[in-house]
Amino acid sequence: MRQMRSYPTTADLENPLYYLENMNTLVDWVAAHHSDLLTEFERARLASFRALPVAARALLTRMVMRTGDLFRVDKLNYPELPQPETDAVAELIAEQWLEPAPLLGLEDVFRLFTLAELRPLFADWLAQNRLPKSLPKAQLREALAATLPEPEPVHRWFDQPVPQVVQVQDMALFDRIRLMFFGNLRQSWTDFVLVELGVQQFETVPFTPESRAFQHRAEVDSYLQMHQCRERLDAGEAAEEVWPDISAPVDNSWLASRRNRLLLELGRQAERQGNSKLALQAWAASGHREARLKQLRLLERLKRFEEAWAIAGQWQTGKLSDAETQGLERILKRLAPKMGAPKPQVPTKPLIREITVTLPKPDSGTVEQAALAHLTSESAPVFYVENTLINALFGLLCWRVIFKPIAGAFFHPFHIGPADLTREDFVARRQTEFDQCFALLETEAYRRIIRETFKAKQGLANPFVAWPVVTEDLLELAMECIPPAHLRALFDRLLTNVKEHRSGFPDLIRFIPNGEAPEHRYEMIEVKGPGDRLQDHQRRWLAFFDQQGIPASVCYVRWQDAGGSS
């Protein structure tokens, strides 16, 4: 496999053809790292693309990025091209990138032409059918659709000369290389080609054949098949019609995760469409963390209590996130009486310290800022950190693990973080390395690693580190005041469900550097203004703090009225 000579860079927005530079980077990256997953014809087409004159290549890039594959030549207007658009179109037709006379269906004609252009075309037909010539466009299209017109080239639709319509060829190839570059088809070309990636700095991750998500062309085909199934579901097609086309289980953890999500959605659609049997079948086959709860809830609604009880009992023995645990507890509580079993023990209500402060309502600023100003002091400074501080300490300590080049984690050089960050197997595939990082918390080495990483990686994108907020002084104060055992507990919980547990942290943190007890030299403070209540994920964090002996409280702010009373 051909390797790229140097790490790719992003285009400068001062270059009017910056989008073409970025597209060239994308095509070169795929050709260099995924050549063996392309057919000989596909490799030849990519080479042909790179050999096109600049104007033709730039125009094709613009067309590929737009919606659909049919274009009126007279509507192609890109002043930055070094040649006229018509010359570029002629070049693309000559190189078979554009079809010069595509067949147009009724929907195509109505999308490409205005009502003023269409009315003369169908004037006689409207008169013959005793329809008003001023019929709105949507109603005109609906009336004509009943006649089932056959697709025709554009000149066959109109009696008078009309602008040329062309069709982009090889869109399937462009979708394939977009998939291999991004690792998904959710991201559009504009996510890369039309953004100034230079404003963001990215970690350099070694990209080797072993770290690729796709090892075989059949895996790319499998992804594309799953994507088509998802599009069919999104278009409203019956789940039972899509079900037979779901690909078989694959021996590829990254693709297996995609399949699990597809099965989760198919089950949702099946349930909405009244097909409970298929919904249960799809969720039973899905390994997605949400599928099991949906399966249990549906079994409960169907009064199939014994099945639900058996599945819930098996699931209870596994490692669950807080949300899963809460959902399972509620189901078991409802099922127990029906099964003649004792109700599960109700979890002890956490002891949450609460304080209420009455403050003058400020002319500007948030309730959190008002609480911070009231609570802070020289000996016990308070900072607004919300979800940034603990995440940053974790991200800096575990930087090398987060950016470990393993299959399905990184597809191109411009990732903010690993693509599998919120997948169920994110931790399992890196467990040994995470254990090594957490072992550092038992020595003073963790402080050195965090300091060194903070300086060495300053400004580089990391999904856990918000650089503008996290300062060196804040980190030093946090490491001085937060016991490493507490950090370990927080990090462990974070990893049980990264997607869920990266948020919900209290708004403020108060440091008490001179506090006598090491475990009480800081306090996390959730702020709630008038009428505001704790959310479920915040309650779960507070319950966790209580279990772990982590100091935390909720500060309820009340505003003084104009007369000075609360």
Side-chain angles (χ1 to χ4, degrees), residues 285-298:
S286 174
H288 195 281
R289 65 168 70 246
E290 295 180 27
R292 191 65 61 86
L293 275 177
K294 291 187 175 296
Q295 181 188 19
L296 290 173
R297 287 167 181 155
L298 180 53

Side-chain angles (χ1 to χ4, degrees), residues 2-8 28-29 32-33:
R2 180 167 62 93
Q3 296 293 321
M4 298 190 74
R5 294 179 181 177
S6 60
Y7 215 63
D28 289 347
W29 180 266
H33 293 288

Side-chain angles (χ1 to χ4, degrees), residues 107-222:
E107 290 294 327
D108 300 323
V109 172
F110 271 72
R111 183 176 64 83
L112 291 167
F113 292 88
T114 66
L115 180 59
E117 292 170 319
L118 292 169
R119 276 178 174 161
L121 170 63
F122 299 111
D124 292 343
W125 183 87
L126 287 168
Q128 292 170 6
N129 288 272
R130 298 182 179 181
L131 293 170
K133 62 181 181 180
S134 60
L135 204 64
K137 192 174 186 179
Q139 295 179 26
L140 176 59
R141 181 175 61 247
E142 184 178 349
L144 286 163
T147 67
L148 302 175
E150 292 291 327
E152 298 276 6
V154 65
H155 67 273
R156 298 287 295 274
W157 282 94
F158 292 83
D159 294 330
Q160 65 271 24
V162 291
Q164 182 181 16
V165 173
V166 295
Q167 184 176 38
V168 176
Q169 303 295 287
D170 297 303
M171 282 299 289
L173 172 58
F174 282 108
D175 283 340
R176 185 174 287 268
I177 66 172
R178 177 162 62 97
L179 168 59
M180 288 189 284
F181 184 82
F182 285 119
N184 63 74
L185 287 173
R186 180 187 70 259
Q187 289 176 272
S188 68
W189 291 105
T190 55
D191 289 330
F192 175 75
V193 178
L194 281 182
V195 296
E196 187 184 12
L197 293 171
V199 302
Q200 178 68 275
Q201 294 178 288
F202 302 91
E203 176 64 286
T204 301
V205 180
F207 195 88
T208 65
E210 295 75 26
S211 68
R212 297 188 310 175
F214 298 114
Q215 294 296 328
H216 308 284
R217 182 179 177 86
E219 294 174 341
V220 183
D221 294 338
S222 177

Side-chain angles (χ1 to χ4, degrees), residues 203-249:
E203 176 64 286
T204 301
V205 180
F207 195 88
T208 65
E210 295 75 26
S211 68
R212 297 188 310 175
F214 298 114
Q215 294 296 328
H216 308 284
R217 182 179 177 86
E219 294 174 341
V220 183
D221 294 338
S222 177
Y223 186 104
L224 291 169
Q225 181 181 350
M226 288 191 285
H227 180 73
Q228 290 170 358
C229 288
R230 180 56 191 262
E231 286 187 321
R232 290 164 62 189
L233 289 173
D234 291 344
E237 188 171 341
E240 61 184 356
E241 295 177 8
V242 178
W243 172 254
D245 295 327
I246 300 292
S247 58

Side-chain angles (χ1 to χ4, degrees), residues 15-40:
N15 176 3
L17 295 175
Y18 73 96
Y19 60 89
L20 177 57
E21 283 192 42
N22 283 339
M23 177 63 93
N24 290 341
T25 294
L26 188 153
V27 170
D28 289 347
W29 180 266
V30 172
H33 293 288
H34 300 290
S35 177
D36 59 318
L37 305 183
L38 300 170
T39 65
E40 184 177 348

Side-chain angles (χ1 to χ4, degrees), residues 360 559-566:
W559 300 127
Q560 293 176 351
D561 61 23
S565 61
S566 58

Side-chain angles (χ1 to χ4, degrees), residues 470-499:
V470 180
T471 65
E472 187 172 7
D473 289 343
L474 178 60
L475 289 175
E476 289 294 342
L477 201 50
M479 288 189 289
E480 178 184 351
C481 296
I482 303 176
H486 288 187
L487 290 178
R488 173 65 188 264
L490 291 164
F491 296 166
D492 279 336
R493 184 177 191 274
L494 176 62
L495 289 182
T496 59
N497 188 332
V498 173
K499 182 178 181 180

Side-chain angles (χ1 to χ4, degrees), residues 136-434:
K137 192 174 186 179
Q139 295 179 26
L140 176 59
R141 181 175 61 247
E142 184 178 349
L144 286 163
T147 67
L148 302 175
E150 292 291 327
E152 298 276 6
V154 65
H155 67 273
R156 298 287 295 274
W157 282 94
F158 292 83
D159 294 330
Q160 65 271 24
V162 291
Q164 182 181 16
V165 173
V166 295
Q167 184 176 38
V168 176
Q169 303 295 287
D170 297 303
M171 282 299 289
L173 172 58
F174 282 108
D175 283 340
R176 185 174 287 268
I177 66 172
R178 177 162 62 97
L179 168 59
M180 288 189 284
F181 184 82
F182 285 119
N184 63 74
L185 287 173
R186 180 187 70 259
Q187 289 176 272
S188 68
W189 291 105
T190 55
D191 289 330
F192 175 75
V193 178
L194 281 182
V195 296
E196 187 184 12
L197 293 171
V199 302
Q200 178 68 275
Q201 294 178 288
F202 302 91
E203 176 64 286
T204 301
V205 180
F207 195 88
T208 65
E210 295 75 26
S211 68
R212 297 188 310 175
F214 298 114
Q215 294 296 328
H216 308 284
R217 182 179 177 86
E219 294 174 341
V220 183
D221 294 338
S222 177
Y223 186 104
L224 291 169
Q225 181 181 350
M226 288 191 285
H227 180 73
Q228 290 170 358
C229 288
R230 180 56 191 262
E231 286 187 321
R232 290 164 62 189
L233 289 173
D234 291 344
E237 188 171 341
E240 61 184 356
E241 295 177 8
V242 178
W243 172 254
D245 295 327
I246 300 292
S247 58
V250 291
D251 186 22
N252 177 312
S253 61
W254 175 70
L255 283 177
S257 175
R258 302 290 309 186
R259 184 175 181 272
N260 287 337
R261 285 201 290 274
L262 175 60
L263 289 170
L264 175 70
E265 181 58 29
L266 188 139
R268 285 173 173 159
Q269 297 272 27
E271 184 183 27
R272 284 196 289 266
Q273 293 163 2
N275 193 337
S276 298
K277 180 180 178 181
L278 179 55
L280 291 173
Q281 191 175 355
W283 289 333
S286 174
H288 195 281
R289 65 168 70 246
E290 295 180 27
R292 191 65 61 86
L293 275 177
K294 291 187 175 296
Q295 181 188 19
L296 290 173
R297 287 167 181 155
L298 180 53
L299 285 171
E300 187 181 10
R301 286 196 295 273
L302 295 173
K303 302 187 184 304
R304 292 161 61 172
F305 303 126
E306 290 186 3
E307 290 178 64
W309 183 260
I311 293 171
Q314 294 172 356
W315 192 34
Q316 193 178 23
T317 62
K319 187 174 183 180
L320 307 178
S321 70
D322 286 355
E324 291 170 318
T325 300
Q326 186 179 68
L328 181 58
E329 287 173 350
R330 289 171 178 171
I331 289 174
L332 289 172
K333 182 179 179 179
R334 294 193 299 268
L335 288 176
K338 296 177 174 62
M339 298 302 298
K343 285 188 178 181
Q345 185 176 356
V346 178
T348 304
K349 188 176 181 180
L351 296 174
I352 300 174
R353 177 173 174 260
E354 297 180 351
I355 57 174
T356 300
V357 297
T358 302
L359 306 174
K361 188 173 183 178
D363 295 331
S364 62
T366 65
V367 65
E368 291 85 4
Q369 291 170 332
L372 186 154
H374 175 76
L375 296 172
T376 194
S377 67
E378 186 174 347
S379 60
V382 178
F383 298 84
Y384 178 75
V385 293
E386 199 174 9
N387 299 316
T388 59
L389 179 59
I390 301 303
N391 277 311
L393 289 165
F394 169 81
L396 293 170
L397 179 65
C398 301
W399 190 289
R400 65 179 180 83
V401 187
I402 295 166
F403 290 98
K404 181 182 179 182
I406 59 180
F410 299 95
F411 292 84
H412 53 78
F414 311 107
H415 278 286
I416 292 176
D420 64 338
L421 181 64
T422 58
R423 270 185 14 208
E424 287 82 354
D425 61 349
F426 170 72
V427 177
R429 298 206 297 157
R430 302 163 174 84
Q431 189 66 65
T432 300
E433 290 81 1
F434 276 126

